[in-house]
Every structure is written in structure tokens, then in C-alpha cells.
Amino acid sequence: MAEPVEIPDGNKRIGLLIAILALMLAFSEMGNKQAEAESVAKNIEAANLWSFFQAKTIRRTSTLVAAEDMQTRLAGVTDPAVKAAYEAQIKRWRDTAARYESEPETNEGRKELMGRAKAAEERRDLQKTRSEVFEIASALIQIGIVLASAAIITGITLLVWCAGGLGIVALVLMGFGTWAPAAVPFIS
């Protein structure tokens, strides 16, 4: 039976550092995946809102064209009853076109849809930034794990300090990724 190998205290500490870095890596990857999923969801929401905006634009344009066409035909109408019916229809179409432009009570006019779509795009972009911050943190943690592992083999203490430093920087980045991703200046 093989006898247990005694692990020096320094290597135990490095092993603990590697375990902590691995735990941080798991959290960083989880944050990255969550931000990516939210980014995709917000991108779909923005695309749907822009499609709805486009449909309202087409409906509004066709309604205005119909009103203008009837307005042109109105000049040749002499019967007062027909003229009144034409004018009433023109008014209804223009009112409908105005409602397509802005409908605050349903939040589904072109104006409101544009605002909602732009807000969804901003949330998408924020989530993309958050994902990028977590990706950088994950990379730093992975490098830290490699450096700590190399320190066990080589016995170079500087590698342990570098690994710990990278872990601290990654932890700070994870904090920014969670609470203020737009504050990280080197992420676009």
C-alpha cells in the first residue's frame, strides 16, 4: 500500500488559492452566460418592437394615401350626401393615421414603439458589455490558475503573487460586471 505523500504547507496554500480561483471562475462564467442570455433576449425584444414599428409605419402610410386619394376625388363630387360621407371617411382615416403615430394609452404608436425599441437596444448593449467584463475576468482567473499551478511545480513565489493579484483584479471586474459594467473604461 502506498504511503500518503506529505504536502508542504506552501503547496497547501497554493492549492487553496487554486480552489478559490476555480470558484471565482465558476461565478464569472455564470455571470457571463446570464448576461449573454439576457443580451439575446433584449435583442429579440428590440427586433420585435422595430418590426411592429415598421408595420405601424406601413399602415399609417397606406391610410394617409387612401385619405389623400379620397381628398383628390372629393373635388369632383357634387352630391352633398356623398361629399359629407367622403369627408367623414377622410377624417376617420386621418384620425387613424394620427393614432398610428402616437397612442400613449396602449403604448403602441410609432412614437412609443420607437422609444421602447431604443430602450431594449440600450439594455441589450448593457448586457453585452456586462458579458465582455465577465469574459475578461474569466480569462484573468484562468491565467491565475495556470500561474498558481506553475508555482507548485517551480517553487517560484512570484507566480503565486501574480496569480493572487490576477484573482483580485478579476474579482474587482466581476463587481463592475455585476453592478456597473458601463463604468469599465476599456470595454466598448
Side-chain angles (χ1 to χ4, degrees), residues 13-29 137-149 159-171 174:
R13 288 189 191 112
I14 295 171
L16 183 58
L17 174 63
I18 291 171
I20 291 169
L21 290 173
L23 179 64
M24 288 173 53
L25 180 61
F27 283 119
S28 182
E29 288 296 321
S138 291
L140 292 176
I141 293 168
Q142 289 171 8
I143 294 167
I145 290 170
V146 170
L147 291 177
S149 300
L159 294 176
V160 177
W161 286 103
C162 290
L166 288 173
I168 290 169
V169 171
L171 187 61
M174 288 169 58

Side-chain angles (χ1 to χ4, degrees), residues 75-90:
V77 175
T78 55
D79 183 351
V82 173
K83 193 171 194 168
Y86 272 29
E87 288 172 347
Q89 182 60 51
I90 290 168

Side-chain angles (χ1 to χ4, degrees), residues 108-157:
E108 292 182 351
R110 290 177 69 248
K111 179 181 169 187
E112 293 81 16
L113 288 169
M114 182 186 304
R116 289 170 56 197
K118 287 181 179 181
E121 287 176 336
E122 287 173 10
R123 290 189 306 271
R124 174 206 59 205
D125 293 344
L126 179 67
Q127 293 302 325
K128 285 174 72 175
T129 301
R130 175 172 279 131
S131 174
E132 291 172 11
V133 171
F134 277 112
E135 281 183 25
I136 292 169
S138 291
L140 292 176
I141 293 168
Q142 289 171 8
I143 294 167
I145 290 170
V146 170
L147 291 177
S149 300
I152 291 174
I153 297 167
T154 63
I156 300 174
T157 308

Side-chain angles (χ1 to χ4, degrees), residues 49-50 52-61 97-103 107-117:
L49 288 167
W50 282 119
F52 196 12
F53 171 85
Q54 187 176 27
K56 285 279 183 164
T57 300
I58 292 168
R59 287 161 139 181
R60 182 175 182 275
T61 301
R99 192 181 80 243
Y100 287 155
E101 183 61 28
S102 180
E103 196 171 7
N107 210 21
E108 292 182 351
R110 290 177 69 248
K111 179 181 169 187
E112 293 81 16
L113 288 169
M114 182 186 304
R116 289 170 56 197

